[in-house]
Amino acid sequence: MIYKANIRKISSQLILIEDKIFYIDDENNFCIDGEIFLKGNYSISYSIKNKIALLDENNFKTILINAINNKIENLDYVLILLNHTNGIFLSNENNKWNIIRVIKKNSEIINNKFDLNLINKILDNNTFLSTKENNLSCHQLENAEELWKLDVSKLGEYLHLKGTEHEELRAGTVHEIYNYKTVLVALLRNDTIVGIDSATGDVLWQKPLFLFISRPVQLNDKLYHIVTGVDVKNMLQVYDLATGKLEREIEITHPVLKENTFFTKRFINDTYIALTATKTGEILVINHKTAIVEDYAKLPNLKEKIPIDNIPQVHQNKVYQLDGEGTLYIFEKEE
């Protein structure tokens, strides 16, 4: 059974937590399950576990929402990044914007000079990562002191691009960063994944992925990658983040993978990995333990290409997909 949920016109900011749908509507109100919860001018800054951070665009402050009980916490800061114990925020003091750290509501200024746009990720309770041009660097959280810097521009150049028409793109730039314990994994623009020691910045290993359209996704200590395309064998590959070792490679046989090249980023949970063809709106839900396509759905009357960040979401017996026009489709298994 398929049904279409016309939950107003929503933006691409869609979060699903515990069977509740959180989103920003076309008038910038914050909504929960089809009802306006906060009326105003909001955007979703960040979410982790059961916390959602909203940016109040009018007052330039952050509101934290507890997704379980809908409790609101108003902060006099603007959220930049968040992990389980720390947040990096902006604070306006005497008309000067500072980066501050917040730990259990206690705050301190950590730096007022570092370029906010270069902060990529809080790594742990003490450090954060930054990307600038071809460099990946690690910094102390308390004072932004640089601990190490890695030039990724030459990494992967010996791989699959050399001698092709795309050789000029072989210079690496950081596209995505994954981490597990002491190992960072950087996905470079040339579709190379590189394992990096988070303490020293030393390169531990590097591996090629499929050319230009890689969208790997992390689950615990593994990186899952689906090879898609017309002229290639469609595969599910599973890499160990610590070693870069290809642990499993299983062929996936489905016409959607064979007939499409461009897909959204991947959704993953303990059982399934899901992706959507951006041009045709066809959704595949794949059991990543068996590489078997267990569910298939297609958005009807798709008029606009689906953005790659509109990731399908699988929860219990439902699949959620947001199209390119701001309409949410919910597909439910027939019992």
Side-chain angles (χ1 to χ4, degrees), residues 53-291:
L54 294 179
L55 174 61
D56 182 341
E57 302 277 1
N58 292 333
N59 299 304
F60 211 55
K61 294 182 179 181
T62 291
I63 298 174
L64 288 181
I65 308 291
N66 186 312
I68 303 303
N69 57 22
N70 296 346
K71 184 178 179 180
I72 297 174
E73 182 179 356
N74 291 288
L75 302 176
D76 291 327
Y77 320 116
V78 175
L79 180 67
I80 303 299
L81 288 170
L82 181 72
N83 68 7
H84 299 293
T85 55
N86 289 324
I88 292 183
F89 294 76
L90 285 179
S91 175
N92 190 350
E93 299 179 10
N94 299 321
N95 294 318
K96 186 175 183 180
W97 290 104
N98 296 313
I99 304 175
I100 64 170
R101 176 174 62 177
V102 175
I103 306 176
K104 296 179 180 178
K105 297 186 179 181
N106 294 320
S107 64
E108 59 178 324
I109 296 175
I110 61 171
N111 194 274
N112 58 11
K113 297 179 181 178
F114 200 84
D115 188 344
L116 297 175
N117 295 321
L118 302 180
I119 297 177
N120 186 288
K121 183 173 188 171
I122 296 180
L123 186 57
D124 53 34
N125 292 338
N126 301 305
T127 57
F128 67 88
L129 298 175
S130 173
T131 52
K132 182 179 181 181
E133 297 174 347
N134 296 120
N135 292 313
L136 172 66
S137 56
C138 183
H139 301 258
Q140 287 279 9
L141 187 59
E142 63 179 325
N143 57 18
E145 178 185 352
E146 184 178 286
L147 300 176
W148 53 259
K149 181 189 290 184
L150 175 65
D151 181 355
V152 301
S153 63
K154 300 300 181 183
L155 296 179
E157 67 174 340
Y158 69 92
L159 298 172
H160 51 295
L161 296 174
K162 209 161 190 178
T164 72
E165 61 179 312
H166 305 292
E167 185 173 0
E168 71 278 4
L169 296 178
R170 72 178 184 269
T173 54
V174 177
H175 196 51
E176 299 280 353
I177 296 177
Y178 316 89
N179 71 287
Y180 184 76
K181 294 185 177 178
T182 61
V183 177
L184 302 175
V185 175
L187 171 65
L188 305 184
R189 182 185 176 189
N190 59 17
D191 281 2
T192 303
I193 49 173
V194 180
I196 302 165
D197 187 319
S198 63
T200 65
D202 294 335
V203 175
L204 304 174
W205 53 263
Q206 54 183 322
K207 298 280 185 179
L209 292 179
F210 188 63
L211 187 62
F212 294 131
I213 52 176
S214 297
R215 298 277 183 260
V217 62
Q218 179 182 353
L219 179 65
N220 302 322
D221 61 338
K222 302 292 186 285
L223 199 65
Y224 290 76
H225 176 53
I226 296 179
V227 179
T228 63
V230 177
D231 299 321
V232 298
K233 183 179 288 187
N234 304 132
M235 308 290 289
L236 170 65
Q237 298 176 332
V238 182
Y239 292 87
D240 180 83
L241 284 174
T243 64
K245 179 183 177 182
L246 178 60
E247 293 190 339
R248 285 194 293 133
E249 187 175 51
I250 312 172
E251 184 175 4
I252 307 175
T253 55
H254 197 282
V256 172
L257 293 175
K258 186 59 70 176
E259 295 167 4
N260 291 271
T261 300
F262 298 100
F263 289 84
T264 61
K265 294 179 180 178
R266 298 10 171 176
F267 165 90
I268 195 166
N269 61 18
D270 289 338
T271 305
Y272 297 111
I273 185 169
L275 67 167
T276 302
T278 59
K279 292 183 179 180
T280 63
E282 295 172 280
I283 307 167
L284 296 182
V285 179
I286 303 165
N287 187 314
H288 56 66
K289 297 177 176 64
T290 63

Side-chain angles (χ1 to χ4, degrees), residues 296-309:
Y296 164 85
K298 183 175 182 179
L299 273 63
N301 304 317
L302 185 65
K303 297 178 181 179
E304 186 175 329
K305 185 172 69 173
I306 298 173
I308 63 170
D309 289 326

